[in-house]
Amino acid sequence: LKSDQCPQGLVIQDLSTGGLSTKEFLNTYRAAAQLFRAMGFDAVILHLGANDAGEGATAEMYRIDTEQMIARLRSWAGRPDLPVILMSDPYRQGLSPAQEAEYARYPGALRAIAAVDPAVLVINSRRLMNERGWNGVPSNRLSELLLDGLHYTPRGAIELAEAEMKTLLGP
């Protein structure tokens, strides 16, 4: 991406591994500091939640794990003030009522992190997409947005990215 406000360009490096929850990331990746630091990131975007909800993480557990992930990434970067952008995953299917209730609280858990950390920005992607019909309401648009109740269709991925980048970077 290239913008007038950032003429040198914006490079986004996807380091995700599909299917990982925040807890699984913390347990799996413990020693990536040299690689992470060498990449010289200016900021980190963490797009999380759907897998955590599927594993039954409460909003409080999710908040704690996300705080630990931020601390680890900042440690790896050697920058305690590394900017972090947190994006909550949109609605997903296949959760029990208890899991759904906790998952609905995840954006608030992310907001609680940002409330005490001035280098954290939160985008409530769940709310952004709920307003566009990505929700559990009958006659919603989920069949065109989700392949299997969790993973995005190409249309879903495009709509989500457009909404998030417009929110992040402006029109």
Side-chain angles (χ1 to χ4, degrees), residues 120-149:
V120 172
L121 171 75
V122 174
I123 294 178
N124 188 341
S125 301
R126 183 167 174 151
R127 184 170 185 179
L128 279 175
M129 301 319 289
N130 182 60
E131 296 167 357
R132 292 169 172 80
W134 192 325
N135 54 48
V137 176
S139 74
N140 61 28
R141 300 180 51 227
L142 288 183
S143 63
E144 67 183 87
L145 301 170
L146 295 174
L147 288 169
D148 56 4

Side-chain angles (χ1 to χ4, degrees), residues 62-64 66-67 70 86 108-117 120:
Y62 175 67
R63 181 191 59 76
I64 291 167
T66 302
E67 287 174 331
I70 290 169
L86 300 174
L110 298 182
R111 187 184 181 291
I113 295 169
V116 296
D117 188 333
V120 172

